[in-house]
């Protein structure tokens, strides 16, 4: 597997992967995180690509996963307020959002998260309380649950995780 920046030519495949992820989440007890709002919208993904913050994972020349990754000091405004806990480290960090796989290759999510961590050595991520598969994945690759955050897009609390 390899990670590379997403291009506009990847957009149809990326949107297909997000559709598969919405179906998977809804079928596995998480119907509100993405499916309720048809998240993420194509215009947001186009913006991520233009900014150079969208990445795909390829296996045998086929795109099998997509995620948003950015790093720097205090880069995620929704992480400034954390309830029921706190961040372990205030140094610059990376953030992964909108990670999704097509489910065709076992271990793809872990591969993507490990790649992002290798880029910066301090990574934060959050997930919906009903997203048990993602919670298991982030804990499996060494993230620690630090508390609860809220996003602008919806009223549902998110579990905040950190690895440093």
């Amino acid at each position: 597997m390899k990670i590379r920046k997403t291009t506009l030519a990847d957009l149809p495949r990326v949107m297909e992967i997000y559709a598969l992820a919405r179906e998977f989440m809804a079928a596995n007890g998480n119907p509100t995180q993405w499916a309720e709002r048809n998240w993420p919208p194509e215009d947001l993904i186009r913006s991520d690509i233009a900014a150079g913050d969208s990445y795909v994972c390829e296996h045998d020349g086929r795109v099998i996963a997509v995620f948003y990754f950015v790093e720097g000091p205090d880069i995620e405004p929704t992480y400034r307020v954390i309830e029921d806990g706190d961040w372990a480290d205030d140094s610059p960090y990376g953030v992964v959002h909108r990670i999704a796989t097509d489910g065709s290759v076992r271990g793809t999510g872990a591969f993507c998260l490990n790649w992002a961590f290798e880029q910066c050595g301090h990574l934060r991520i959050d997930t919906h309380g009903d997203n048990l598969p993602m919670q298991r994945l982030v804990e499996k690759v060494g993230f620690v649950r630090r508390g609860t955050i809220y996003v602008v897009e919806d009223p549902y609390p998110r579990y905040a995780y950190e690895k440093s």
Side-chain angles (χ1 to χ4, degrees), residues 136-161:
R136 285 191 293 268
L137 171 62
V138 297
E139 290 171 5
K140 174 183 164 186
V141 298
F143 284 80
V144 175
R145 187 168 157 195
R146 304 299 307 170
T148 303
I149 60 103
Y150 291 86
V151 298
V152 174
E153 294 82 12
D154 65 52
Y156 304 107
R158 300 293 200 277
Y159 294 151
Y161 290 86

Side-chain angles (χ1 to χ4, degrees), residues 93-164:
Y93 57 91
V95 173
V96 170
H97 289 310
R98 299 184 286 285
I99 184 169
T101 76
D102 69 3
S104 66
V105 179
R106 188 166 174 80
T108 303
F111 182 83
C112 294
L113 289 174
N114 287 331
W115 177 89
F117 181 74
E118 289 170 8
Q119 306 312 299
C120 60
H122 182 197
L123 197 58
R124 293 179 181 171
I125 192 168
D126 64 86
T127 193
H128 196 283
D130 291 337
N131 196 339
L132 299 179
M134 181 57 73
Q135 291 171 44
R136 285 191 293 268
L137 171 62
V138 297
E139 290 171 5
K140 174 183 164 186
V141 298
F143 284 80
V144 175
R145 187 168 157 195
R146 304 299 307 170
T148 303
I149 60 103
Y150 291 86
V151 298
V152 174
E153 294 82 12
D154 65 52
Y156 304 107
R158 300 293 200 277
Y159 294 151
Y161 290 86
E162 184 174 37
K163 181 177 180 179
S164 61

